[in-house]
């Protein structure tokens, strides 16, 4: 008998190790561990980042390796997750988010839409590096066809750090993903006790834990004292109302971002066109302004059918539509920052090349 129990424990540990090593879904394991029927089922899709990062010293909060710990390690580090949901993890990638690309973005989005069809999942959490977290979040906000909660989470300190913020951020994200209140609010970003909309929130500080801010439109809510508080709703179209469908896509149109600065020139525009860009986002100065020299490049690109979208590198505010936009068939990015304007532009270009129609997308999403 003792021998049989030992054999069983041994084979279980082999299965777990194998799942992790081969990057296969570890749902089989999570599903065999007692499911509490009273709790919601939350799927955690892991992509890497600092939340999966580790350093050799507890005080090292910058020179660590991101994207090294597997999802099972992250889940096991927070046993309290079991009190708020039946959690189950799956490793989509394990990268630093500066290496997130369209291929992984499509893989992640398709996987969520696929899991939604099974009806076995009530809410999703995506763990992600913070550097490009808002880009992935906004992409999911536009392509996930469900009103079920989807919460993107990361951390600013690696798991090994003194006062690591990952475990509590993960716990809060799972709690939000398992909640009724988070339904139909579009994709949410939660770090540091805040709940923000993927459309509005942005990373504002290189190293601090309060880096994700929503200065202009505000947060949607907060999580405090183990309770979720929602105060606002996103007003822009998302998820179930979105027309963008990635089901049959294996790649996305190339859209580049060109920064505006004093003494800039047209050659980045010429280079982007030559490299095959279908759209160019201008991270312009002020109200999306562009120098006369750069404007020559933008106009030449627009004449070749490349969609030119004026955004701003200021960090806040709306880029207003001006006479020059009508004259040159330019699009304005509304209040989307350049990196999010790029996300919407890629999806818009899967539907149309008409600047007027693309402007309409920027007015409503
Ligand atoms: N470079 C890391 C990443 O984005 C930083 C982080 O996760 O905070 O993956």
């Amino acid at each position: 008998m003792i021998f049989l129990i030992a054999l069983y424990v041994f084979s279980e540990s082999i299965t777990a190790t194998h799942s992790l090593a081969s990057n296969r879904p570890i749902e089989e394991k999570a599903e065999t561990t007692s499911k509490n029927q009273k709790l919601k089922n939350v799927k955690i899709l892991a992509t890497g980042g600092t939340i999966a990062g580790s350093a050799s010293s507890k005080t090292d909060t910058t020179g660590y390796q991101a994207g090294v710990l597997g999802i099972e390690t992250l889940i096991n580090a927070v046993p309290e997750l079991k009190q708020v949901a039946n959690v189950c993890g799956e490793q989509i990638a394990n990268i630093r988010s500066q290496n997130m690309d369209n291929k992984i973005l499509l893989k992640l989005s398709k996987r969520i839409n696929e899991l939604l069809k099974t009806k076995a999942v009530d809410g999703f959490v995506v763990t992600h590096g913070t550097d490009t977290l808002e880009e992935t979040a906004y992409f999911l906000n536009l392509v996930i066809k469900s009103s079920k909660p989807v919460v993107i989470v990361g951390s600013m300190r690696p798991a090994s750090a003194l006062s690591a913020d990952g475990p509590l951020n993960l716990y809060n994200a799972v709690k939000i993903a398992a909640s009724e209140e988070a339904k139909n609010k579009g994709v949410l970003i939660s770090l540091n006790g805040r709940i923000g909309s993927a459309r509005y929130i942005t990373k504002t500080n290189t190293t601090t834990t309060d880096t994700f801010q929503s200065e202009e439109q505000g947060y949607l809510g907060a999580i405090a004292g183990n309770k979720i508080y929602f105060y606002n709703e996103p007003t822009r179209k998302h998820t179930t109302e979105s027309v963008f469908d990635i089901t049959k896509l294996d790649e996305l149109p190339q859209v580049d971002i060109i920064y505006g600065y004093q003494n800039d020139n047209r050659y980045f525009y010429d280079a982007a066109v030559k490299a095959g860009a279908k759209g160019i986002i201008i991270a312009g100065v002020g109200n999306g302004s562009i120098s006369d020299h750069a404007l020559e490049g933008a106009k030449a690109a627009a004449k070749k059918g490349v969609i030119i979208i004026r955004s701003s590198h200021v960090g806040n505010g709306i880029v207003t539509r001006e006479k020059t936009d009508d004259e040159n068939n330019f699009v304005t990015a509304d209040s989307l920052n350049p990196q999010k304007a790029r996300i919407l532009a890629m999806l818009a270009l899967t539907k149309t090349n008409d600047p007027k129609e693309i402007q309409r997308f920027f007015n409503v999403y």
Side-chain angles (χ1 to χ4, degrees):
M1 185 63 183
I2 290 169
F3 170 73
L4 280 180
I5 292 172
L7 192 67
Y8 173 74
V9 170
F10 178 67
S11 66
E12 278 290 286
S13 69
I14 295 246
T15 313
T17 318
H18 174 70
S19 306
L20 196 63
S22 64
N23 256 2
R24 273 179 40 219
I26 55 168
E27 59 203 305
E28 301 88 343
K29 184 171 177 276
E31 264 151 28
T32 49
T33 59
S34 54
K35 232 184 192 182
N36 183 338
Q37 298 300 331
K38 286 191 195 128
L39 296 179
K40 296 273 179 68
N41 300 318
V42 172
K43 182 89 177 180
I44 307 178
L45 298 158
T47 71
T50 297
I51 194 165
S54 184
S56 51
S57 144
K58 281 185 175 185
T59 54
D60 188 351
T61 54
T62 56
Y64 53 88
Q65 266 200 294
V68 289
L69 306 175
I71 182 55
E72 199 170 8
T73 308
L74 302 192
I75 292 175
N76 290 342
V78 191
E80 295 77 7
L81 293 178
K82 291 195 191 81
Q83 292 159 17
V84 288
N86 297 309
V87 290
C88 154
E90 185 174 325
Q91 198 81 46
I92 296 290
N94 211 352
I95 53 166
R96 298 176 300 153
S97 74
Q98 52 268 53
N99 290 325
M100 179 59 73
D101 57 21
N102 291 347
K103 213 168 148 220
I104 306 171
L105 206 52
L106 286 169
K107 180 181 172 191
L108 172 67
S109 316
K110 286 180 185 177
R111 182 66 181 138
I112 296 177
N113 278 334
E114 183 182 83
L115 286 163
L116 279 164
K117 286 192 202 131
T118 69
K119 299 196 171 44
V121 183
D122 300 304
F124 295 87
V125 169
V126 176
T127 61
H128 201 289
T130 59
D131 291 352
T132 67
L133 185 149
E134 67 198 65
E135 296 174 50
T136 297
Y138 188 48
F139 188 81
L140 296 178
N141 192 55
L142 297 172
V143 302
I144 297 304
K145 305 293 178 194
S146 172
S147 55
K148 288 182 181 174
V150 180
V151 187
I152 319 285
V153 66
S155 76
M156 290 303 287
R157 297 181 186 137
S160 49
L162 284 175
S163 298
D165 52 335
L168 184 57
N169 283 350
L170 182 62
Y171 173 82
N172 285 345
V174 169
K175 205 170 153 68
I176 298 163
S179 75
E180 283 298 311
E181 305 98 294
K183 279 185 180 166
N184 203 23
K185 297 223 168 27
V187 172
L188 303 170
I189 294 177
S190 181
L191 279 93
N192 206 36
R194 313 285 194 183
I195 307 170
S197 160
R199 168 63 175 78
Y200 304 137
I201 208 165
T202 189
K203 186 172 182 179
T204 64
N205 190 291
T206 51
T207 54
T208 61
T209 52
D210 62 352
T211 181
F212 281 91
Q213 304 273 336
S214 195
E215 210 177 294
E216 191 87 12
Q217 295 90 359
Y219 297 110
L220 301 188
I223 181 157
N226 219 0
K227 239 180 128 235
I228 297 165
Y229 300 82
F230 272 103
Y231 297 105
N232 299 311
E233 305 250 339
T235 56
R236 292 306 179 98
K237 282 183 193 282
H238 58 76
T239 55
T240 50
E241 289 183 313
S242 169
V243 294
F244 303 114
D245 182 8
I246 44 105
T247 322
K248 297 199 178 79
L249 299 180
D250 292 321
E251 52 189 40
L252 294 162
Q254 185 189 323
V255 177
D256 295 311
I257 302 176
I258 300 180
Y259 208 85
Y261 50 93
Q262 284 186 354
N263 203 46
D264 62 356
N265 213 294
R266 64 172 286 172
Y267 53 72
F268 286 122
Y269 291 85
D270 297 337
V273 175
K274 205 166 160 212
K278 300 285 177 285
I280 295 174
I281 310 295
I282 303 175
V285 295
N287 186 8
S289 301
I290 175 168
S291 72
D292 291 345
H293 292 304
L295 185 61
E296 282 171 32
K299 279 183 180 176
K303 281 203 181 104
K304 288 192 171 143
V306 177
I307 299 297
I308 303 293
I309 298 158
R310 289 196 307 115
S311 176
S312 171
H313 69 222
V314 163
N316 270 310
I318 298 154
V319 171
T320 57
R321 213 180 148 82
E322 306 297 338
K323 215 167 117 229
T324 171
D325 302 310
D326 296 333
E327 284 167 0
N328 298 299
N329 276 328
F330 291 172
V331 173
T332 50
D334 194 287
S335 58
L336 285 175
N337 64 24
Q339 60 271 31
K340 287 193 201 176
R342 179 183 157 272
I343 295 291
L344 179 55
M346 287 194 299
L347 288 168
L349 282 161
T350 64
K351 290 269 171 204
T352 178
N353 287 316
D354 176 3
K356 287 203 177 61
E357 188 57 12
I358 294 179
Q359 182 66 69
R360 204 189 57 76
F361 287 140
F362 274 84
N363 297 344
V364 297
Y365 284 97

